[in-house]
Amino acid sequence: MGKSGNGPTGKSRNSRRGRAAAESVVEDVDGGRAELVPDRDRPRAWTLLIDGAPQSHVDLDDPAYLSFEYQRRIGHVIDLAAPPGKPVRAVHLGGGALTLARYVAATRPRSTQQVVERDAALVRLVRRELPPDPGARIRVRSTDARAGLAKVPDGWADLVVADVFGGARTPAHLTSTEFLDDVRRVLAPGGVYAANLADGPPLAHLRGQIATAACRFAELALVADPAVLRGRRFGNAVLVARDHPLPIAELTRRAASDPHPARVEHGRALTDFTGGAAPVTDAAAVDSPAPPDSVFTK
């Protein structure tokens, strides 16, 4: 997060984390009640929840570890966005606990990253309790995702990741063709866009998002649990878009080998999946559907 995100001295930070290793941290932030819950299986790992909904998981000892299914799938996209280890310039719309920015910094050292996270109080909490590597080139802007994207120079980014949720729903203004026009403006030639989408039966939102992206990008892929794609349950799907060919075979192999295997749809099958859905414009955009209560209960 840059120099301003280094937090207290290493000594006091380490002693605090040692004392609080088994304790949750609860704090009100702009978006609701934030809770950092320790991972009992990993000594310095934490899950961030906002109003009870899991948002991020971070392992301070191993930032390349991705616990959430959808974040592992985006991790595959990051891995395939450029040759292994090559630094990239990345824009993250939605920060949470900076899980994916930490992943890029760990797997692609010397990368330059901009994170746009509207919740300034959440940013302060994460900086204090889960400080990233001070050597990581991560800058955080506390502003609306679309407003922050508008400040990124033309052709600056090799990678744009959209993972923005307010109250467990993606805001309407981040679902439109006009939004994707700005994503395209920011991407360098060959750059990749990845978006975390959430939907359930009848999958109208997901189909509309694919149709919207198809109007702006030449190549698309969708990575998701087969049960989600069949409309059997609410869940996450990762949309990947690019103007150059996507590494479909390798993405498929990696998604299938995950602990929770996913399917990759692309080409004609993905077009058929949209079922004739219309692209979404600013004038017609609505928030993504709210997940059922059962998603966050066991």
Side-chain angles (χ1 to χ4, degrees):
M1 293 187 182
K3 294 182 179 178
S4 64
N6 290 347
T9 65
K11 181 177 180 180
S12 62
R13 179 190 304 150
N14 291 338
S15 62
R16 182 178 70 249
R17 292 264 56 85
R19 290 196 309 269
E23 300 173 3
S24 294
V25 178
V26 181
E27 193 164 306
D28 288 331
V29 296
D30 299 337
R33 176 62 60 89
E35 185 176 9
L36 292 173
V37 179
D39 185 332
R40 304 301 180 188
D41 297 323
R42 303 178 74 91
R44 297 183 71 235
W46 300 78
T47 298
L48 167 68
L49 300 92
I50 303 292
D51 288 337
Q55 300 289 329
S56 303
H57 180 278
V58 170
D59 188 330
L60 296 176
D61 289 332
D62 184 9
Y65 174 77
L66 299 175
S67 176
F68 289 4
E69 294 174 25
Y70 86 86
Q71 290 183 331
R72 283 198 301 274
R73 293 162 190 165
I74 295 178
H76 298 325
V77 176
I78 294 169
D79 291 344
L80 298 172
K86 180 181 178 181
V88 296
R89 293 185 294 189
V91 176
H92 302 265
L93 304 178
L98 302 184
T99 303
L100 292 171
R102 297 172 201 260
Y103 181 83
V104 172
T107 60
R108 298 183 177 278
R110 302 184 307 284
S111 291
T112 302
Q113 302 185 74
Q114 296 189 37
V115 178
V116 184
E117 171 55 61
R118 183 171 187 169
D119 195 327
L122 176 61
V123 171
R124 291 192 295 270
L125 172 65
V126 170
R127 281 176 165 162
R128 187 184 75 234
E129 298 294 334
L130 306 177
D133 181 347
R137 301 174 181 176
I138 303 173
R139 179 184 180 186
V140 180
R141 297 176 184 266
S142 294
T143 188
D144 172 77
R146 194 154 158 182
L149 183 66
K151 296 182 181 299
V152 180
D154 293 2
W156 183 85
D158 302 302
L159 174 70
V160 174
V161 176
D163 185 15
V164 184
F165 287 84
R169 304 176 72 179
T170 301
H173 68 298
L174 304 180
T175 67
S176 67
T177 53
E178 291 89 342
F179 165 67
L180 289 184
D181 285 338
D182 217 20
V183 171
R184 281 184 56 91
R185 177 190 63 79
V186 164
L187 282 172
V192 180
Y193 172 62
N196 176 30
L197 308 174
D199 199 8
L203 299 178
H205 172 72
L206 187 57
R207 299 181 202 278
Q209 287 304 285
I210 297 166
T212 303
C215 287
R216 293 300 186 263
F217 291 94
E219 300 288 337
L220 301 180
L222 189 70
V223 190
D225 185 307
V228 173
L229 293 175
R230 289 194 289 265
R232 292 182 178 176
R233 69 173 180 85
F234 193 98
N236 296 86
V238 173
L239 176 65
V240 189
R242 192 182 194 181
D243 279 334
H244 293 195
L246 290 164
I248 297 297
E250 182 61 16
L251 184 60
T252 299
R253 186 190 70 78
R254 294 184 182 217
S257 64
D258 275 340
H260 297 277
R263 195 168 80 209
V264 176
E265 294 284 10
H266 64 99
R268 179 60 183 269
L270 186 57
T271 301
D272 291 345
F273 177 80
T274 65
V280 177
T281 64
D282 276 346
V286 296
D287 294 350
S288 68
D293 291 341
S294 59
V295 169
F296 304 125
T297 59
K298 296 187 185 281

